[in-house]
Amino acid sequence: MSFKKIRLLQVQFENDIHPWEVPAFRGAVIATAGREHVLFHNHLKESYRYSYPLIQYKQVRNKPMIMSLDEGVDEIHHFFEHMQLGLFLGERPYELKISNLHLNQQTMQVWDKLWDYRIDNWLALNSENYQRYQEMDGLAEKIDLLQRTLTGNIISFAKGIDWTIEKPVKLFITNMREPRLVTYKGQKLMGFSVDFRTNVFLPNYLGLGKGASTGFGVVQRKREKLSENNS
């Protein structure tokens, strides 16, 4: 289909957390909702739900956020039904106060125009691609690999919401900061923060790539650029 309408729920909480506390926040939410509800954690009894995460946990402006898409919006009530005033992030007590709850419907489609975005702490490279990346000499070659990887991440997201992209996806990285090491599941991985343009409209704070459910690869629209481009 040329477009897909999805429901999107973003719940942001009032009190600050550190970036490294996002996995603990995720674990506390899962324990509150109940592990029998698979979309909160993507683990089946003896395997893993290999699909795009429809419930994501992240830190936005120092505050924890739960972001739910489509079927995940239907499931989030399991958390709210059992939510108490406090939970623990590891051993640290955390008071749960909702500061903002935003539910809307967004139309996913490929446009003729290009949209400007930024993605932070993006875990772009698996072990095979990391080796290829390290062996590349030129920046242009590295950027080409990252552009193809990010395009693939967007297509994986589309599949996860049952949206078949019928038009060619255009994507260009316009700025790339120095990669830095980040910790993911106890491992040190290369995290990328890049600016990019694409003809695919992406929801704000969407997660792409490895670790999308735990605050890695968070996408933000660059509104200033959009207003300049539309003037």
Side-chain angles (χ1 to χ4, degrees), residues 157-207:
F157 154 66
K159 289 178 180 176
I161 59 169
D162 295 323
W163 174 35
T164 302
I165 297 179
E166 296 178 342
K167 296 181 181 178
V169 173
K170 299 177 183 177
L171 188 144
F172 311 96
I173 289 177
T174 57
N175 186 38
M176 179 172 151
R177 296 155 193 83
E178 189 67 28
R180 64 190 188 94
L181 289 178
V182 298
T183 302
Y184 173 69
K185 293 186 176 180
Q187 292 183 311
K188 293 290 186 182
L189 299 177
M190 190 179 286
F192 293 86
S193 292
V194 303
D195 299 335
F196 67 98
R197 309 187 80 196
T198 181
N199 58 343
V200 181
F201 179 80
L202 299 171
N204 227 10
Y205 307 122
L206 185 77

Side-chain angles (χ1 to χ4, degrees), residues 114-133:
L114 296 174
W115 305 84
D116 288 273
Y117 299 94
R118 171 177 175 144
I119 184 168
D120 288 306
N121 291 327
W122 172 43
L123 304 181
L125 305 175
N126 57 26
S127 56
E128 180 183 342
N129 281 343
Y130 176 78
Q131 190 63 36
R132 289 173 57 201
Y133 183 88

